[in-house]
Amino acid sequence: MSIYSSKTTNTSILKPFSSADRERVKAAALNKVRFITPKEKGIVESVRVALEENNFHLIQEFTHFLREADLCDDEVVHIMKDARKIVHSLTPDFANLVEALLSVNWKKYSPAAIQAYTEFSIDVMIAHNSYIQIGITKLILNWIPSDQESAEWLDGCPSERVKAELETVHNLLNRILTAVPMAFDVVIDTIAAKFPYFKKPAHVTAGYLHNVLWLMDYKPVFEELLLQLVLQKLLILDVNAPRDEIEALKEETDDEDDKMEDEAIFQMDDVSAPPKPPQALEHPIGQMLDICLMKLFKFVDDKCRPQPDCSDDQRIAKSRFFKTLVHIFDEVLLPSHNTHHVQFVIFYACSIRPAYAEIFLTSLWQKVQNPNVSSIIRHAAVSYIASFLARAKFVPLSTITYYLKELSNWANNYINDSDEFSSKNSSLKANMVFFSVCQAMFYLIAFRARDLTINHKNLTLLNTLQLSRLAMCHFNPLRYCLPPVATAFAGVTRTHQLAYCHTVLERNARRKLATIYGHDKLMPEETLETFFPFDPYILPLSNKYIEPNYLVYRVHEMEESADNVAIETVRRKRGDSEMIEDDDFILADKRQKISELSKSQQFDKQFYYGASPGFNQ
C-alpha cells in the first residue's frame, strides 16, 4: 500500500486559535514587565519624573546613555532640541546630565547637529551661570592638540581640517562671551589652568598659543591679561632652554653637516639651488620656544604696524596696544632673571615705528631716575637701555647721543652730591645704580665707537661727557665693571684720547692679585652682576624678524689695524659671558676661572690692554 493516501487530511501542526484565546494572551502580555530604554523615555520625560516624583533614576540612566552611546546625527539633533525646551528646569541638581550633554563630541557630526549643540550650550549658560565653568572648560579643551596630531600642526599652523573645527569653537566662544559677560573671568582662569606643560611636544604648546592669540584677535578686551599670561609661560620655556645647551646641540649638528659636505666635496655644486631654509633646533624646548616666538612676533606685527590707509582710530588702537605691551614688559620681563630670547618681543615691536622706541626708552629712563624704584629694577632698566641702544639698527645716532648725555649728567650729579660726604660708603651694594649707569656708558661707547667717532662733531660731544672724571672718581666704577667692558672702553678712549684709564685698570688688577695671594685662596670678587638682554639671537625660525633690525658688532678700523683683531660673537648671561662666533665685543668673562690663573703672566693676559675692544691674544 502506498504511504501517500488519496484521502485529504489536515496535516498542519498549528492548533486552532480562537478570538477568546487571543484576548487572553494579549492581557497576559500587558501584565508582563517590559524595560524601556533611556532613548525611548527621552530627556523631557526623565526630567519630568525627577522634578515631580523626586526620582532621579531615569536621569542617571539617560546620563549614562549619553556618555556611552554612539549617537547618530538625528539623535543628537533630537536630544539637543528637547534639552533646549526644558533648559530652565536644568537646575544644579542636573549638573551631571548637563555635563554629559556638553561633553558630546560634536566635531564629528553634521552641521545641523553642531548647530543644535551650539544653541543648547548658549541657552543653558544664559539660564544657569553655574554651568559657565563646565561649558567654557569643554570648549577650551578643544584648543589642545593631541600628542599624535603633529602632522596637523606644521610650525604652529593648523591644517585646513583642524582650522575649520577650531573656527566653530571660536564662533561659539565668541557668542557665549557676547551673551554672558560674566564668562570673562572664567575664560581667563580656564586658559591659564589648561595651558600645556612646558615639556609637552612643541606642536601642543604652539597649537594652544595659536588659539590664545586667535581669541585676542576678535576679543581685544583680553589682550592685556592674556598677553601677560603668554609671556609668563614663554619665560618658563626660555629659562629651560639655556644658550649653552642650544649652542652645544647646534655645534653637533653643524659638525655632522660638515662631514657630509666633506664626503661630497668633489660633487658639482648646484648654483641654481635655492638657499636652505633654517633648520629646526634639536633642543625640544628651544624648538618650542622658537615656534611660539615666531607666532608671537607675527601677532605683534599685526597689532602694532599701522597700514598706509588705516584711520586715526586704528592708529590710536595700535599705539594703545604697544603701551599695553610696555606695561606688561615692566611687570613680567624687566624683573625676570636669566632670560635669553623672550625680551626680543619688545625689541621687535620697537622696530616697527620710531615712536615706539622713544616710548620704550623713556619708560626705562624714568625708572632709572626714580629713587623710589628698587635698585635691582633700576639696574635692569639701565642694562636694557644700554643693550637696546647698542644693538638696534633702527635707533638714530641722535637718540644714542641724547641718552649718553643723560647718563653722563646723572652720573656726574651723583658724584657731585657724594663729594660732601667723603666718608660715604663706596661699596657695590650701596651704589649699584651708579655703577650700572657707568658700565652702560662704557659699554655703549665701546660698542658704537665706529658711529660715535666718525667725525669731529661726535668726538667733541664725547669730550663733553667728562669720561675721565667718571673713570677716575673715588667710586672707581672700572673696578666693578665686567673686565671685558672695562678693557674695551679703555681701548676706545685711549685711541681717541678721550680718557686714560689703563693706570686705573692696572691698579685694580694689582689689588685683585694682592687679595688672592694674600689670603692664599680666591675671595669672592666684587663685580657688578650684569647682563645685556639683547645679545645675539640664536633661534633660527623666528630670527627672520630680528636679523634685519639687529646690529652685529664691527671692530673700528683704527683699532682693527692697530691690533689686527678677529671678529667673534660674544653673548652673556647675567654675571657670565661666553664666546660664540660672529659678534665680538666682550670676551668670555673669566671671573669664574681666576683661581686657575696662579701665574701673574696668565692673570695679565686676562686684563691685556690694547686699543681694540673684544680682542683675545
Side-chain angles (χ1 to χ4, degrees), residues 21 33 111 123 127 155 163 171 199 214 229 241 283 305 348 361 463 536:
D21 293 334
V33 177
D123 287 354
D155 292 338
K163 186 177 180 181
N171 289 338
K199 289 189 177 180
W214 192 345
L229 173 66
H283 195 287
R305 188 180 300 277
Y348 178 70
L361 289 169
N463 277 315

Side-chain angles (χ1 to χ4, degrees), residues 41-54:
K41 200 71 175 178
I43 188 174
V44 176
E45 179 63 17
S46 300
V47 172
R48 185 195 66 78
V49 171
L51 292 174
E52 295 180 0
E53 303 177 12
N54 198 26

Side-chain angles (χ1 to χ4, degrees), residues 516-539:
I516 294 172
Y517 291 120
H519 295 276
D520 198 26
K521 62 180 180 178
L522 176 64
M523 300 298 291
E525 185 182 342
E526 203 171 18
T527 304
L528 187 64
E529 186 184 10
T530 306
F531 87 127
F532 296 99
F534 300 118
D535 276 351
Y537 192 91
I538 60 174
L539 300 179

Side-chain angles (χ1 to χ4, degrees), residues 8 18-19 34 83 113 144 162 165 250 306 347 358 376 392 401 411 469 472 509 543 554 566:
T8 303
S18 64
S19 58
R34 181 174 180 270
I144 306 176
V162 175
E165 292 178 354
K250 287 180 69 175
F347 182 92
E358 294 177 7
I376 296 296
T401 55
R469 185 191 185 208
M472 307 293 181
N543 191 39
R554 296 178 300 168

Side-chain angles (χ1 to χ4, degrees), residues 324-566:
T324 300
L325 184 61
V326 172
H327 172 71
I328 296 171
F329 168 85
D330 294 341
E331 296 293 325
V332 178
L333 296 178
L334 186 60
S336 299
H337 175 73
N338 200 24
T339 59
H340 309 291
H341 296 97
V342 176
Q343 60 267 24
F344 277 87
V345 172
I346 194 73
F347 182 92
Y348 178 70
C350 290
S351 70
I352 295 175
R353 288 181 65 191
Y356 294 161
E358 294 177 7
I359 293 172
F360 177 60
L361 289 169
T362 301
S363 173
L364 292 173
W365 182 234
Q366 288 174 349
K367 291 178 179 60
V368 176
Q369 294 176 294
N370 187 355
N372 296 320
V373 177
S374 70
S375 59
I376 296 296
I377 298 299
R378 296 168 74 187
H379 166 64
V382 172
S383 298
Y384 269 95
I385 290 175
S387 188
F388 183 83
L389 292 175
R391 294 291 187 175
K393 281 184 179 179
F394 48 86
V395 173
L397 186 60
S398 59
T399 301
I400 297 173
T401 55
Y402 170 79
Y403 279 98
L404 279 175
K405 291 177 185 177
E406 292 292 310
L407 291 168
S408 175
N409 291 337
W410 188 93
N412 281 287
N413 288 334
Y414 190 92
I415 295 173
N416 293 336
D417 295 339
S418 67
D419 283 343
E420 301 175 5
F421 310 97
S422 58
S423 60
K424 185 177 179 180
N425 184 10
S426 60
S427 67
L428 174 61
K429 184 177 180 180
N431 304 279
M432 178 184 291
V433 180
F434 172 76
F435 293 130
S436 300
V437 169
C438 290
Q439 179 169 257
M441 292 184 63
F442 301 159
Y443 173 83
L444 188 54
I445 289 171
F447 195 101
R448 299 300 292 260
R450 180 187 297 267
D451 299 317
L452 293 172
T453 60
I454 196 170
N455 54 39
H456 179 71
K457 178 182 177 182
N458 291 345
L459 283 171
T460 302
L461 181 138
L462 290 180
N463 277 315
T464 64
L465 300 181
Q466 304 183 63
L467 298 177
S468 181
R469 185 191 185 208
L470 291 178
M472 307 293 181
C473 72
H474 64 279
F475 287 111
N476 192 6
L478 289 172
R479 176 187 176 188
Y480 299 101
C481 289
L482 291 175
V485 174
T487 306
F489 172 75
V492 172
T493 53
R494 185 181 69 175
T495 300
H496 299 285
Q497 300 181 1
L498 298 170
Y500 297 95
C501 307
H502 291 96
T503 55
V504 178
L505 292 177
E506 290 168 0
R507 184 172 66 249
N508 293 338
R510 287 194 296 271
R511 180 181 301 174
K512 291 176 183 178
L513 281 170
T515 300
I516 294 172
Y517 291 120
H519 295 276
D520 198 26
K521 62 180 180 178
L522 176 64
M523 300 298 291
E525 185 182 342
E526 203 171 18
T527 304
L528 187 64
E529 186 184 10
T530 306
F531 87 127
F532 296 99
F534 300 118
D535 276 351
Y537 192 91
I538 60 174
L539 300 179
L541 297 178
S542 52
N543 191 39
K544 64 181 181 180
Y545 290 95
I546 303 302
E547 186 177 9
N549 305 303
Y550 190 79
L551 182 63
V552 176
Y553 176 70
R554 296 178 300 168
V555 178
H556 193 280
E557 288 87 348
M558 292 176 62
E559 300 157 4
E560 187 174 16
S561 60
D563 292 298
N564 194 17
V565 183

